[in-house]
Amino acid sequence: MTSATATPPAERSRAGTTLLLTAAATFMAFLDTTVVNVAFPDLRTDFPHESLTNLTWVVTSYGVLFAALLTPAGRYADVFGRRQVFLGSLVLFSAASVACAAAPNVDFLIAARAVQGIGAAGMIPAALGLVLSETPAEKRAAAIGLWAAAGSVAAAAGPSLGGLLVSEFNWRSVFILNVPIGVAVIIAGGKLLPDRPSAPTKSPDLVGTGAITLGIAGIVVGLTKGGDWGWASAQTWVWIVAGVALVGYSLVRSRGQEAPAVETDLWKSKMFAAANLTTFFLGAGLFVWFLSGPLYLTTIWHYSILKAGLAVTPGAVLSAVAAVVVSRRVPPEKQRPVIVGSLLIFFGLSIWAYTSLGSEPRFWSIWLPYGAIGGAVIGAALTSVTTAASISVHPLKFASGTGLNTTARQFGGSVGVAVMAAVIAAQNPLQPQAYLDAFLLAGIFVVVAAVPALALFRKDSMAAIAETQRQIQAYMAAQAAQARAAAEAGTDEPDGGAKDNDTAAVAERS
């Protein structure tokens, strides 16, 4: 008889297959948030009559839908089945990638990117749910780490991979790349992913979901087009105010819903709320930095697309390396100085770049240290903030917490890119100052993130987290003892659905 602590080979194999397939899909979803940045200069060449503010919607339309739909998509995965939502979203994402590659104009491309964002929003929470449900309890932490690493690898690979594809082919190739990967995962997932029964839970609030989606889009439209319409124009402020009002309405409405569009109850944890706010500003700075870099290198230093991609790769690679080092070497209770120190260093680097860079290429003396050190400190800070968000929610609500924190980063990124477009449009986009202003903007966003970061990993928060973990461990130990007793008595293990309900009750009490 299999011991209580051993994991059967078939279960290990199923968990490994699930992790591999979901990590591949996660890689694609996060790759498309960075790989397009390197393709952006080629887009400007193909569509020379489009304004920079319009072209930035190729980035922000993806980010807006990705951000707004992550939380409700997780609930739909619970209602209709994680496997079904994962595969359906992957089909939608792959089909939208084909549409992006074939886009005849910018408006069509923006619409196709929005559909891609919907597909990505469906894939991520369903993928995480599959990993959590198919991985044995003792292996979940490692599995989540490997699954999350797919996003870091995508960020590191995006600049060089995008630069290579665009230089050898064109910007359309970065979307074609998704198709063979997507088709392979769809075919393999249809055969190999387990089909579990859906949970008896309510569908997410459609009104609240629609309100927050339109609200985020309205805010980004107002910020993006403000430079064209004029910051004193009524049109600009109608969009911004209406967007804020819709987001506010969705948040207020979520408090009274059994299945809300946004899990506002998670913000009762002060550390989780602070982590979300930190992630928002950090995401804004990160997206501005990633997008303005290739534009500066190709427009001002006249680098090729491939050379620009290689020039920003050291920062992306060191970001991933720093993320691994911090997650493995620095315990959570010591990570607040890592976050605050990293953010202050990045701000200092931004001021240095703003005052030192110009029209003459200075790659070795300025750009390389600016990019490499900047990438390392951003990777360290982002990993620590993600850790803060993860451990500050109840373990049984990990997926919801991860989704909401990712939403904060994507929303922050969309707002950051919109503000960047306005900043660059205020200057001559053929002169260095426009991009130096963008570098400084990235630094300002990042240093603002240091303010809520001061509330992370405080002793009172860590004590509450430790108590919650103790309660859950005691509960799970009691469940394991009950299962062993049932096995020794030759009776069936307690009903899984009842066990899930008991666990959910513990979650609510804790």
Side-chain angles (χ1 to χ4, degrees):
M1 181 167 54
T2 303
S3 68
T5 57
T7 303
E11 189 175 339
R12 288 199 303 270
S13 176
R14 187 172 64 243
T17 300
T18 300
L19 177 60
L20 178 63
L21 294 176
T22 57
T26 301
F27 176 86
M28 285 196 302
F30 284 104
L31 181 70
D32 268 46
T33 65
T34 59
V35 73
V36 177
N37 295 341
V38 179
F40 203 81
D42 200 45
L43 276 171
R44 295 185 72 184
T45 302
D46 264 19
F47 302 107
H49 301 298
E50 292 288 344
S51 69
L52 179 65
T53 54
N54 284 342
L55 283 174
T56 57
W57 273 95
V58 175
V59 177
T60 54
S61 62
Y62 181 87
V64 164
L65 273 299
F66 193 4
L69 298 179
L70 269 169
T71 299
R75 281 213 177 78
Y76 278 119
D78 290 337
V79 173
F80 297 109
R82 292 162 181 164
R83 176 178 179 272
Q84 288 78 1
V85 171
F86 174 73
L87 293 176
S89 299
L90 186 53
V91 168
L92 183 65
F93 183 89
S94 302
S97 297
V98 174
C100 288
N105 53 56
V106 170
D107 290 341
F108 187 95
L109 178 58
I110 290 171
R113 283 282 286 169
V115 176
Q116 256 197 327
I118 296 172
M123 286 193 300
I124 297 303
L128 180 58
L130 284 167
V131 170
L132 290 171
S133 63
E134 298 304 320
T135 304
E138 69 275 8
K139 300 288 186 181
R140 281 178 185 165
I144 291 168
L146 291 172
W147 176 81
S152 297
V153 172
S160 53
L161 182 58
L164 178 63
L165 288 171
V166 174
S167 64
E168 292 297 319
F169 304 101
N170 53 37
W171 61 266
R172 299 178 189 273
S173 60
V174 302
F175 299 112
I176 294 174
L177 175 67
N178 293 327
V179 179
I181 301 175
V183 170
V185 176
I186 290 166
I187 293 173
K191 295 179 179 179
L192 301 175
L193 286 177
D195 189 8
R196 303 295 186 194
S198 57
T201 185
K202 293 188 66 174
S203 298
D205 175 34
L206 289 177
V207 174
T209 300
I212 196 166
T213 304
L214 294 174
I216 291 174
I219 294 170
V220 175
V221 167
L223 293 173
T224 303
K225 300 294 288 184
D228 295 338
W229 295 336
W231 291 106
S233 72
Q235 191 173 9
T236 298
W237 289 101
V238 164
W239 279 95
I240 293 174
V241 172
V244 171
L246 284 170
V247 170
Y249 168 74
S250 179
L251 295 179
V252 171
R253 180 182 174 87
S254 292
R255 294 179 180 177
Q257 297 292 317
E258 184 178 344
V262 181
E263 287 266 16
T264 55
D265 283 350
L266 294 177
W267 290 333
K268 292 178 180 178
S269 164
K270 294 179 180 179
M271 191 161 98
F272 183 76
N276 278 191
L277 194 56
T278 305
T279 299
F280 173 85
F281 287 109
L282 187 52
L286 182 63
F287 274 56
V288 170
W289 192 51
F290 273 173
L291 183 55
S292 59
L295 284 172
Y296 171 76
L297 293 171
T298 55
T299 305
I300 306 303
W301 286 5
H302 305 293
Y303 276 18
S304 68
I305 299 293
L306 177 58
K307 192 174 180 180
L310 293 174
V312 299
T313 295
V317 171
L318 285 177
S319 177
V321 171
V324 173
V325 171
V326 169
S327 63
R328 291 188 174 185
R329 301 291 184 184
V330 184
E333 62 272 13
K334 295 183 179 180
Q335 288 187 13
R336 183 171 43 160
V338 171
I339 300 171
V340 176
S342 295
L343 300 182
L344 293 176
I345 290 171
F346 186 86
F347 181 58
L349 289 168
S350 300
I351 294 175
W352 179 47
Y354 179 79
T355 57
S356 303
L357 289 172
S359 56
E360 292 298 320
R362 300 178 66 182
F363 177 79
W364 293 104
S365 60
I366 299 178
W367 184 265
L368 182 60
Y370 167 56
I373 299 172
V377 296
I378 285 291
L382 191 59
T383 298
S384 293
V385 175
T386 302
T387 299
S390 299
I391 68 173
S392 58
V393 297
H394 194 283
L396 299 179
K397 294 187 177 182
F398 177 82
S400 297
T402 300
L404 193 51
N405 200 56
T406 305
T407 295
R409 184 172 65 181
Q410 293 299 127
F411 182 28
S414 297
V415 171
V417 170
V419 175
M420 184 204 76
V423 166
I424 292 179
Q427 301 282 351
N428 183 348
L430 299 178
Q431 296 297 319
Q433 193 60 48
Y435 304 98
L436 299 182
D437 288 349
F439 296 157
L440 184 60
L441 175 67
I444 292 171
F445 275 129
V446 167
V447 78
V448 170
V451 178
L454 293 171
L456 301 178
F457 300 111
R458 290 193 171 274
K459 289 184 178 179
D460 54 346
S461 296
M462 297 302 289
I465 290 166
E467 175 59 21
T468 299
Q469 295 287 347
R470 188 195 64 76
Q471 292 178 18
I472 288 298
Q473 288 172 1
Y475 174 79
M476 297 304 291
Q479 286 290 318
Q482 185 179 358
R484 284 195 300 271
E488 291 170 359
T491 59
D492 292 334
E493 191 174 339
D495 179 68
K499 186 162 56 176
D500 288 343
N501 290 338
D502 290 343
T503 307
V506 172
E508 292 301 322
R509 289 196 300 270
S510 302

